[in-house]
Amino acid sequence: SENEAIIESTFRRLLAAIESERESLRSTAQDLEVVKLSTGDELEQMKSRTEEWCYAQRQTIDSQWRQVQEVTDRMRVTEDGQNDEITVSVSGEIFTFSKRCVMKVEGSLFNMMFSPQHIGNLPKDHAGRYVLDWNPKCFKLIIDHLQYLERQPSAPLPRIPKEEKMNFDVLV
């Protein structure tokens, strides 16, 4: 019986410890549920703010892209009149070529310069030719190459004489 009393006492302490541990686990589970709910709400708010920010950034990007496209469209020589001949006096030497020739390289100086938006700003001589104060040898190399590209799209770049390299680089 003394053994039984010790066993019963130990058993009751064990049951009390188990119940205490159970209560501790319930409390921890409740705390975790509260943290989970608040974290979920916080994450949802962060997600919402991120989506709003992304939407605003996309609107800004789209607006700026439309502006870039508008500028690009204004700079590009239009298809209308691409077969029109252009006559230019380059430091006194006369060159004649088609608009199509200068359309070959989109976004290039020639493409922009001879576009409908800008061609009117070029000075003309008494004969109605556009006047450019450029190196005629380099200009000829460029125009010849652009005309060659019309016939042979994979044409290699022209050889530039050493003495004209600096002038050529300025034009290109």
Side-chain angles (χ1 to χ4, degrees), residues 152-169:
Q152 183 71 24
S154 61
L157 292 173
R159 286 189 175 195
I160 311 304
K162 278 186 185 178
E163 64 274 4
E164 298 299 336
K165 177 96 173 93
M166 190 171 77
N167 290 321
F168 186 82
D169 289 345

Side-chain angles (χ1 to χ4, degrees), residues 54-69:
C54 288
Y55 178 78
Q57 293 302 309
R58 170 54 75 192
Q59 296 298 102
T60 301
I61 289 168
D62 288 347
S63 172
Q64 291 174 345
W65 182 251
R66 281 191 297 277
Q67 290 173 352
V68 166
Q69 288 301 109

Side-chain angles (χ1 to χ4, degrees), residues 17-29:
I18 290 173
E19 191 56 39
S20 173
E21 198 57 37
R22 233 185 238 156
E23 189 55 40
S24 175
L25 287 173
R26 279 189 203 113
S27 176
T28 301

Side-chain angles (χ1 to χ4, degrees), residues 113-131:
M113 188 170 52
F114 293 111
S115 71
Q117 293 80 13
H118 296 285
I119 198 165
N121 296 327
L122 294 176
K124 290 185 176 184
D125 65 10
H126 64 282
R129 297 177 290 234
Y130 296 104
V131 177

Side-chain angles (χ1 to χ4, degrees), residues 3 38 68-69 78 87 100 117 127 129 135-136 147 160 169:
N3 281 342
S38 69
V68 166
Q69 288 301 109
T78 61
T87 303
R100 182 179 58 246
Q117 293 80 13
R129 297 177 290 234
N135 181 305
Q147 289 172 333
I160 311 304
D169 289 345

Side-chain angles (χ1 to χ4, degrees), residues 132-160:
L132 299 175
D133 186 19
W134 291 353
N135 181 305
K137 289 178 185 177
C138 293
F139 188 84
K140 180 174 178 16
L141 284 170
I142 294 169
I143 293 299
D144 287 349
H145 182 66
L146 290 173
Q147 289 172 333
Y148 187 53
L149 281 175
E150 286 185 287
R151 296 183 305 277
Q152 183 71 24
S154 61
L157 292 173
R159 286 189 175 195
I160 311 304

